[in-house]
Amino acid sequence: MKKAESASDTLKGMLAIVIASFLWGTTGTAAQFAPQISPLAIGAFAMGIGGVLLCVSARKSLVKDVPILFSTPLTFLFGSACVAIYPLAFYSSMRLSGVAIGTVVSIASAPLFAALLEYFLSKRPVSLKWFISFIFGTLGIVLLAMGKTQDASALSASKDDQVFGVILGLIAGLTYAGYSWAAKQHIDAGAHSKSAMAGLFGCAAVVLLPSLWFTGQNLFDNAINTSVSLYMAVVPMFLGYLLFGYGLRSTDASKATLITLIEPLVATLLAIFLIGEVFKPVGWMGMALVCLCLFCQSVTFPIALKRFGRKATA
């Protein structure tokens, strides 16, 4: 009975992360409809207001779990700093290198960083199933990036901007993995998932929201900018991270970030059909490999493969 409940909880957690990833996959495309807004402003507003909404929705459990969050202050501060840095790096990466590549680099690198954090900080070995899935996912992401056809605006961008965009994407991947790992540590320590996410995001909002004084002058200039800003804060950030926190209850951070590889897949499809970005056939092969990666995470491997995986991590 307990095994059945555990399997059900795991499935629900994975489904919550998948839905969150779908919501996050819309952020890059939404941001493109408001190009007048600075990527720093859109990131700070979305994560900042999202953090405030998370704190309001989790106020009762947050007050109760404050001692748990503060029992490991370095983990809490590390996670909060990662939340604050992530949107600034992520949206700037997309602005410099394009929606598809910016999202791909940021999200594809996160599972590797998450696995490294769990291995070195939590002393948790990497399973063979995760490794196989990561190989499929990484190869798929590389093919996705190769499949992007350069348009006129991309060709006019300097190589320095492209390189800097990729570097910012890697920073976004590291910080994404960082706050996922920190939230998981708090949840494992006994904090409610809402409290863990609200605490980290609320602390980051203290830094992010004041920065809008310098960058947020175009946030509400017209109806489109206002709609994009509010959508980003309420739907992908608030609702998305509620779902992600719920999923972390039964899912390791390395596995959760691996599942979120569906985000660049969604972002790529939206970039193709809504923004008009063109993809070569190799890009579609990459999409198939990302789907295969997600499939590997959602099925049970044969017992023999499980045994081999245990030996490999022993």
Side-chain angles (χ1 to χ4, degrees):
M1 189 67 178
K2 288 184 178 180
K3 288 185 178 180
E5 290 179 356
S6 177
S8 177
D9 289 341
T10 300
L11 183 60
K12 290 178 181 178
M14 291 179 62
L15 181 60
I17 295 171
V18 167
I19 296 173
S21 301
F22 266 100
L23 296 180
W24 295 338
T26 66
T27 58
T29 298
Q32 293 301 303
F33 285 101
Q36 306 90 349
I37 302 177
S38 162
L40 299 178
I42 197 69
F45 181 83
M47 293 293 252
I49 297 299
V52 171
L53 293 176
L54 284 170
C55 287
V56 172
S57 68
R59 57 191 181 278
K60 292 183 179 179
S61 61
L62 185 58
V63 171
K64 178 183 177 182
D65 291 337
V66 161
I68 298 176
L69 300 179
F70 287 176
S71 65
T72 52
L74 291 180
T75 299
F76 181 77
L77 291 175
F78 171 72
S80 299
C82 287
V83 172
I85 295 170
Y86 170 74
L88 308 182
F90 179 55
Y91 292 108
S92 296
S93 173
M94 286 193 297
R95 186 63 60 89
L96 290 172
S97 57
V99 173
I101 290 180
T103 304
V104 160
V105 174
S106 301
I107 305 306
S109 61
L112 176 59
F113 287 128
L116 292 174
L117 287 173
E118 287 187 346
Y119 181 79
F120 288 108
L121 299 182
S122 301
K123 308 302 179 185
R124 185 169 296 166
V126 178
S127 69
L128 179 63
K129 179 178 179 179
W130 183 94
F131 183 74
I132 292 173
S133 301
F134 178 72
I135 293 297
F136 285 135
T138 301
L139 182 58
I141 293 302
V142 170
L143 293 180
L144 267 177
M146 291 174 58
K148 185 176 185 291
T149 300
Q150 296 285 355
D151 56 18
S153 61
L155 289 173
S156 64
S158 69
K159 290 184 178 179
D160 289 342
D161 285 347
Q162 292 286 333
V163 171
F164 190 47
V166 171
I167 292 173
L168 286 174
L170 292 173
I171 294 174
L174 175 59
T175 51
Y176 175 25
Y179 69 72
S180 299
W181 174 83
K184 179 63 174 176
Q185 300 309 299
H186 292 313
I187 292 171
D188 288 347
H192 194 281
S193 60
K194 287 184 177 180
S195 303
M197 300 307 296
L200 297 179
F201 277 67
C203 185
V206 175
V207 176
L208 291 171
L209 292 180
S211 71
L212 294 174
W213 178 265
F214 306 99
T215 63
Q217 56 268 29
N218 296 323
L219 279 172
F220 306 108
D221 274 0
N222 53 56
I224 293 179
N225 286 9
T226 301
S227 300
V228 168
S229 299
L230 294 177
Y231 170 80
M232 298 275 276
V234 175
V235 180
M237 297 304 132
F238 173 58
L239 295 179
Y241 280 102
L242 276 182
L243 291 167
F244 187 65
Y246 175 82
L248 284 175
R249 293 183 189 179
S250 56
T251 309
D252 291 336
S254 58
K255 183 176 181 179
T257 51
L258 192 63
I259 295 172
T260 59
L261 287 179
I262 197 172
E263 178 182 343
L265 187 63
V266 173
T268 299
L269 292 173
L270 290 176
I272 291 171
F273 293 112
L274 296 183
I275 297 178
E277 292 191 5
V278 180
F279 257 60
K280 301 173 185 176
V282 68
W284 297 100
M285 293 175 58
M287 292 185 189
L289 285 175
V290 172
C291 291
L292 181 59
C293 163
L294 299 173
F295 176 75
C296 288
Q297 282 299 303
S298 63
V299 299
T300 302
F301 277 68
I303 296 176
L305 186 56
K306 284 186 176 180
R307 289 177 179 173
F308 179 79
R310 284 196 291 267
K311 290 179 180 179
T313 57

